[in-house]
Amino acid sequence: MSNPHASLLQPGRIGTMELKNRIVMAPMGENYGGLDGICGERAQAYYEARARGGTGLVIMGTAAISWPTGTSEPHQLGISSDDFIPGLAEVTRRVHAHGGKVAIQINHSGKVAANDRSHGREMWVSSIPPDAPVPEAMSTITPKEFSTFVGVGPHPDRYRVMDRADIAQMIEWFGAAAMRARQAGFDAVEVHCAHNYMIANFLSPYFNSRSDEYGGSYENRSRLLREVLTEVRKRVGPDFPVWVRLDAEEMHTPGGIAMDEALKTARLCEELGMDAISVSAYARLPTGSAFTDAPIPQKPNAYREFAARFKRTVNIPVISAGRWELDDAAKAIGNNEIDFVAIGRKLLAEPELANKLHANAAQDVRPCIYCYACVSEIFINKGIKCAVNAQTGHETTKAITFAEKPRHVLIVGGGPSGMEAARVAALRGHRVTLAERSDRLGGTLFFAALAYPENGRLLDYLVRQMQHPQIEVRLNTTVDTGLLAKLQPDEILVGTGARRAAPAIPGADQSHVWSGDELRRLMTGDRADEIARAKLSLAERALFKAGGMLKVTDSTAAIQNLSKLWMPLGKRVTIIGAGLVGLELAEFLLERGREVTVLDPGTYPGSELPIVRRWRVYDAIKAHGKLMMQATVTEINRKEVIWTDKSGEQCRTPADSVVLALGAEADSSVAELIQSLTQTPVRRIGDCNDLGYIEGAMHSGHAAGLGI
């Protein structure tokens, strides 16, 4: 069988460095450095796992050349003295043991040195930056999040416009850091010249307003880059691979870096002896969602055209980041549009990505769901994590190993927590019986996949993992004394989800008012006939069946498409509840042409969503719908919702349909019932134990599988 990803698996070359494939781990600040900047076991194991998974080139990011100053996060790794070399050298040893190559990204954060800001230190800049807009989405940050938010402190901003002595010091720091990287055994160095960090701050015509030889003309604005790269090359020698990361564009930045000048910089870097160009992009943040345009895009293959233009401009390899889809990355390399694909979030979700592609098993690659849980942790000064991979950042402590004594495990509930627990338990050698009440797997993840399509990939992945020979799946199965007596399990895990009680609002029992559970069951076919009979007219039931909704309950993609043609909701929809479920449903309905109003009695919308994902949804709803916080609903009528605002004034919102997205709570009832039937230990996982949504389900399921 031919491998559709064969071009990703071809060997490649950057300068003198030979690579076994074209897959690069993109440099990401993992924030695992402790408070001393030392690269310890947690960071070492994290990078080693990606090398063990077959990644051709691992790029560590981002190491501070003047640690502790010039840092973006308090736990950023350092490379500013020889004290950092032993920890970094252990990374190179561990990566090399798996046949991979390893580079390190060296950087000074400049005006983006949030850790300097929080400590009251001067932030080194090319010139005083223009006033930055405060995105309206920042109002969604909760007090708890704000208490640890990156860059927040008691000190006013202090900027240091660099003089010639400072510039000389900066050049020395970069050169010395590159030399230490070579001493630590790295195969290459990436110089960060993007994302408005130090060198990009000088390159940008928007941010650099100097009037000396380092500002004004392109020749002047590129002077620091030229001097840094010249010094780096001098320190490491002509044969040591060095490349740069460049912005193709500064988005949402009038007068910022644009493509023509970016290509000019790429040619300059080639002339200066750089061995490759890594193409990225940056965005100023007039809105929170701008962050999801760049540098961490929501759009698939976001920088493909950028990278292709660089490839046509220079004669050195081009590394391209930007949420590449694997099929498209393989085609782009095969078409000579790019040379290497830089993968970040996908490798957090699946360290074994390259090995699985080599085995022609792309269907077994655990997918990233682009929820931004990873980078959102950086904003609150924590190490990165992954919502779908509990092992990320915990490679040593959460390793999956064979159990000393294999057992028979009964798992009740086929949602994400149950399937993840089954997957891990089976890999450890246990025999698993998974009992699911309905006729399909997925639980509320199926509905989550309807509201946010990326979740559908996770559902598909988990369902495939249930084909393991140690797992028996029983659909349409209720656990009772008879089944328990027949199976005689050694342990029982219950992952039957949350309870969603309807709030006590007058009028909430009308047919045009939907609970989240009712809508989920109708749209996903979970005993949908019961809901259809109770909530739909004869004409609507006929339309529902004619639309074929009940026939595609195993396909989130099919329901996505059908929901664009028909849904049991009118033109004007009011959603009561601005949590994760309410906001993602609002985004989904707005995309389908509904007029949406979201009402919530609280103060901070979407607090269950990762910060960056929350910003994106918030901006979408504010732009195309209405979001009203501190809004207390007092009555639901046939054509309107009556509510009071924070000042106590009564308001009326016209509504053809109402969705109740409040009232979710952990539901232990099934677990308690089963425990009353058996002496076998029963443990709760997922939302029936503690509300945690997809991330909580995946992490608790993983922990349960390890704990058997």
Side-chain angles (χ1 to χ4, degrees):
M1 182 188 301
S2 62
N3 190 326
H5 302 105
S7 60
L8 289 173
L9 305 173
Q10 296 173 354
R13 183 184 182 94
I14 299 177
T16 59
M17 179 174 59
E18 298 283 350
L19 297 168
K20 63 183 178 182
N21 59 46
R22 305 300 182 93
I23 299 171
V24 176
M25 180 181 181
M28 296 172 285
E30 78 297 307
N31 222 11
Y32 292 158
L35 291 175
D36 57 6
I38 297 293
C39 183
E41 171 60 28
R42 187 181 187 192
Q44 293 166 13
Y46 163 79
Y47 286 110
E48 181 185 14
R50 278 74 201 165
R52 184 188 302 114
T55 304
L57 172 63
V58 171
I59 306 179
M60 288 186 67
T62 168
I65 63 173
S66 61
W67 190 97
T69 66
T71 54
S72 298
E73 301 94 31
H75 308 292
Q76 189 170 339
L77 298 177
I79 195 170
S80 57
S81 76
D82 291 351
D83 294 339
F84 296 107
I85 291 178
L88 296 172
E90 183 62 12
V91 174
T92 66
R93 184 193 69 78
R94 291 166 79 156
V95 171
H96 289 156
H98 299 287
K101 302 293 186 181
V102 57
I104 190 167
Q105 184 189 73
I106 58 175
N107 186 35
H108 188 289
S109 294
K111 73 170 278 291
V112 194
N115 195 39
D116 285 347
R117 176 186 293 114
S118 64
H119 285 83
R121 297 191 291 256
E122 292 180 318
M123 292 171 282
W124 288 29
V125 294
S126 63
S127 50
I128 299 297
D131 290 337
V134 178
E136 185 181 351
M138 281 295 292
S139 65
T140 67
I141 302 299
T142 68
K144 181 180 179 181
E145 291 167 339
F146 191 77
S147 69
T148 60
F149 206 78
V150 64
V152 171
H155 312 285
D157 288 356
R158 299 174 61 212
Y159 292 106
R160 177 175 178 144
V161 177
M162 294 164 61
D163 60 21
R164 288 171 179 77
D166 296 331
I167 290 172
Q169 176 65 80
M170 187 63 60
I171 295 166
E172 164 61 24
W173 279 335
F174 269 106
M179 190 63 224
R180 289 189 194 97
R182 183 160 194 174
Q183 291 170 343
F186 285 94
D187 300 292
V189 162
E190 176 175 286
V191 182
H192 205 333
C193 305
H195 300 180
N196 207 233
Y197 293 122
M198 178 56 68
I199 295 175
N201 187 245
F202 274 78
L203 284 171
S204 174
Y206 178 83
F207 289 101
N208 183 350
S209 59
R210 297 174 74 101
S211 58
D212 64 1
E213 68 268 34
Y214 288 90
S217 68
Y218 173 76
E219 181 180 0
N220 286 351
R221 286 183 284 108
S222 63
R223 192 178 304 278
L224 178 64
L225 174 139
R226 297 199 307 271
E227 292 176 346
V228 165
L229 298 185
T230 298
E231 183 65 19
V232 166
R233 176 55 74 199
K234 174 184 173 183
R235 294 291 187 95
V236 300
D239 297 328
F240 187 75
V242 180
W243 62 83
V244 294
R245 184 168 237 203
L246 296 178
D247 292 315
E249 182 179 318
E250 287 185 317
M251 301 178 184
H252 309 290
T253 309
I257 293 171
M259 177 59 75
D260 288 347
E261 195 163 281
L263 296 176
K264 191 174 181 179
T265 303
R267 287 190 293 268
L268 173 61
C269 291
E270 183 177 18
E271 293 168 4
L272 291 168
M274 296 298 99
D275 295 293
I277 304 293
S278 178
V279 179
S280 185
Y282 170 76
R284 198 174 58 104
L285 301 181
T287 65
S289 59
F291 188 82
T292 66
D293 293 329
I296 306 182
Q298 175 76 16
K299 178 184 175 182
N301 311 321
Y303 308 146
R304 181 174 189 167
E305 293 304 317
F306 292 163
R309 291 193 62 180
F310 276 79
K311 180 65 178 170
R312 293 193 294 268
T313 299
V314 297
N315 296 308
I316 52 178
V318 168
I319 306 167
S320 176
R323 194 187 156 175
W324 276 97
E325 297 303 303
L326 296 176
D327 291 351
D328 295 314
K331 292 174 184 175
I333 289 174
N335 295 338
N336 203 33
E337 297 174 48
I338 63 173
D339 297 285
F340 297 88
V341 58
I343 297 174
R345 290 168 285 178
K346 281 183 172 67
L347 280 171
L348 299 182
E350 181 55 89
E352 294 286 329
L353 184 148
N355 285 345
K356 290 182 177 180
L357 293 186
H358 194 271
N360 210 2
Q363 71 277 6
D364 291 321
V365 171
R366 184 195 291 109
C368 173
I369 60 172
Y370 302 99
C371 65
Y372 293 91
C374 48
V375 70
S376 292
E377 292 294 278
I378 298 292
F379 281 99
I380 52 175
N381 282 326
K382 294 182 179 180
I384 58 173
K385 64 179 178 180
C386 178
V388 301
N389 181 8
Q391 290 178 280
T392 295
H394 303 279
E395 285 75 13
T396 301
T397 58
K398 296 184 179 181
I400 297 174
T401 57
F402 281 111
E404 292 183 7
K405 182 181 179 181
R407 302 172 72 83
H408 179 203
V409 185
L410 170 62
I411 299 176
V412 184
S417 66
M419 287 191 283
E420 176 67 359
R423 184 188 74 86
V424 174
L427 290 175
R428 298 188 62 230
H430 298 299
R431 182 165 64 91
V432 178
T433 300
L434 178 63
E436 165 57 40
R437 180 190 66 182
S438 72
D439 61 359
R440 58 164 181 79
L441 294 170
T444 55
L445 179 57
F446 201 100
F447 191 56
L450 175 62
Y452 188 52
E454 280 78 356
N455 293 331
R457 301 182 182 189
L458 177 63
L459 174 59
D460 293 342
Y461 161 81
L462 287 171
V463 170
R464 280 193 295 268
Q465 304 317 299
M466 296 307 95
Q467 298 173 9
H468 193 283
Q470 289 289 98
I471 300 174
E472 178 192 6
V473 175
R474 296 191 175 199
L475 300 176
N476 300 304
T477 299
T478 301
V479 176
D480 54 21
T481 52
L483 184 65
L484 291 171
K486 182 178 180 180
L487 295 178
Q488 297 187 352
D490 299 305
E491 291 196 37
I492 301 174
L493 303 176
V494 176
T496 48
R499 175 193 297 116
R500 292 168 178 82
I505 301 172
D509 57 349
Q510 298 175 79
S511 62
H512 72 296
V513 181
W514 295 80
S515 71
D517 273 354
E518 289 171 335
L519 197 58
R520 173 188 65 81
R521 286 175 56 190
L522 184 74
M523 298 301 292
T524 63
D526 179 8
R527 297 169 295 156
D529 278 334
E530 297 175 14
I531 302 299
R533 285 194 297 270
K535 306 294 288 190
L536 302 181
S537 67
L538 285 173
E540 287 173 327
R541 291 204 296 273
L543 184 61
F544 173 68
K545 291 186 177 182
M549 300 294 281
L550 292 175
K551 299 176 183 178
V552 294
T553 56
D554 60 342
S555 170
T556 54
I559 290 182
Q560 279 277 341
N561 290 330
L562 283 169
S563 67
K564 295 175 183 177
L565 303 175
W566 181 85
M567 282 190 69
L569 300 176
K571 180 68 173 177
R572 300 171 299 180
V573 181
T574 294
I575 298 172
I576 302 174
L580 180 152
V581 174
L583 292 190
E584 289 200 335
L585 181 60
E587 182 184 40
F588 168 78
L589 292 173
L590 286 168
E591 290 175 352
R592 282 151 180 77
R594 300 305 200 272
E595 298 173 11
V596 178
T597 299
V598 181
L599 305 173
D600 191 282
T603 305
Y604 299 98
S607 57
E608 307 96 332
L609 285 160
I611 290 170
V612 176
R613 170 79 181 126
R614 184 191 315 163
W615 286 347
R616 184 175 179 85
V617 178
Y618 176 87
D619 282 352
I621 295 171
K622 294 292 282 189
H624 304 290
K626 295 179 181 179
L627 173 60
M628 311 301 296
M629 302 303 295
Q630 296 179 277
T632 302
V633 177
T634 57
E635 186 178 353
I636 302 172
N637 291 333
R638 185 63 192 89
K639 289 296 182 181
E640 64 182 4
V641 175
I642 303 171
W643 53 281
T644 57
D645 64 17
K646 60 183 178 181
S647 66
E649 182 177 346
Q650 188 180 83
C651 307
R652 295 172 181 267
T653 297
D656 302 311
S657 301
V658 178
V659 179
L660 305 175
L662 286 172
E665 58 184 19
D667 183 6
S668 62
S669 60
V670 174
E672 291 169 356
L673 175 61
I674 293 173
Q675 187 65 86
S676 72
L677 303 176
T678 180
Q679 298 298 312
T680 303
V682 174
R683 281 189 288 155
R684 289 182 287 152
I685 59 176
D687 281 351
C688 79
N689 183 55
D690 186 27
L691 283 184
Y693 303 95
I694 290 175
E695 178 184 333
M698 293 295 291
H699 285 228
S700 69
H702 190 277
L706 286 183
I708 298 168

